[in-house]
Amino acid sequence: MSNMSEWKVICRVDDIPVLGSRRVARPHGMDVAVFRNGEDQVFALLDRCPHKGGPLSQGIVFGTHVACPLHNWSISLEDGCARAPDEGCTQSFACKVEAGQVHLDARELATLAIDLQPPLAGPCASTGAVGDATYDVQAPHTA
């Protein structure tokens, strides 16, 4: 068995907006978000905030962090961990840039965090009883 990584070309660096991101769909598991900061550094994280599952790909990139669009948690692009006082981490993925191309580790894409499902949101999110704490859904408003 080899320790060599098999790298998968994802996109060109220029395909990712500066201070922005692109999502990489996987056949199993949640999408991976690929971020580009103001110094043209590229990072890859599971597209899920460790707090409430917000889509990090829709967050604001600053330095080596992204602010979750739901509750403004600051998540490190380097290791996927929340900045104190918040706690928790999302999965990070090995990423490299060669000749202007962004590469992710193919084995990691196929195996890491594939058991996680996207968070459910909106008025139809709960498949359980109204008020079920598992889904954190409130009862609908009545007139």
Side-chain angles (χ1 to χ4, degrees):
M1 185 166 171
S2 172
N3 288 335
M4 299 289 292
S5 293
E6 181 180 326
W7 295 95
K8 179 179 175 80
V9 175
I10 300 301
C11 63
R12 296 185 331 251
V13 172
D14 292 340
D15 293 334
I16 308 168
V18 175
L19 302 180
S21 68
R22 288 286 183 252
R23 286 191 330 258
V24 177
R26 303 189 295 167
H28 303 286
M30 296 184 61
D31 291 350
V32 173
V34 180
F35 300 91
R36 179 180 174 194
N37 70 9
E39 289 75 41
D40 282 337
Q41 294 173 298
V42 178
F43 307 89
L45 300 175
L46 190 68
D47 193 19
R48 181 180 183 157
C49 179
H51 177 224
K52 294 282 186 177
L56 294 176
S57 61
Q58 295 177 26
I60 296 171
V61 175
F62 60 100
T64 57
H65 290 82
V66 60
C68 177
L70 295 185
H71 301 102
N72 206 33
W73 275 36
S74 179
I75 308 299
S76 170
L77 294 172
E78 295 173 316
D79 63 10
C81 291
R83 182 185 286 176
D86 300 320
E87 296 179 355
C89 296
T90 194
Q91 181 67 54
S92 61
F93 292 81
C95 181
K96 72 176 182 177
V97 176
E98 287 183 347
Q101 299 282 329
V102 176
H103 303 255
L104 296 181
D105 184 301
R107 184 190 57 76
E108 289 185 0
L109 281 174
T111 61
L112 295 181
I114 59 171
D115 57 334
L116 296 176
Q117 296 299 314
L120 299 174
C124 298
S126 177
T127 58
V130 173
D132 182 349
T134 304
Y135 295 99
D136 196 24
V137 175
Q138 297 178 354
H141 298 284
T142 58

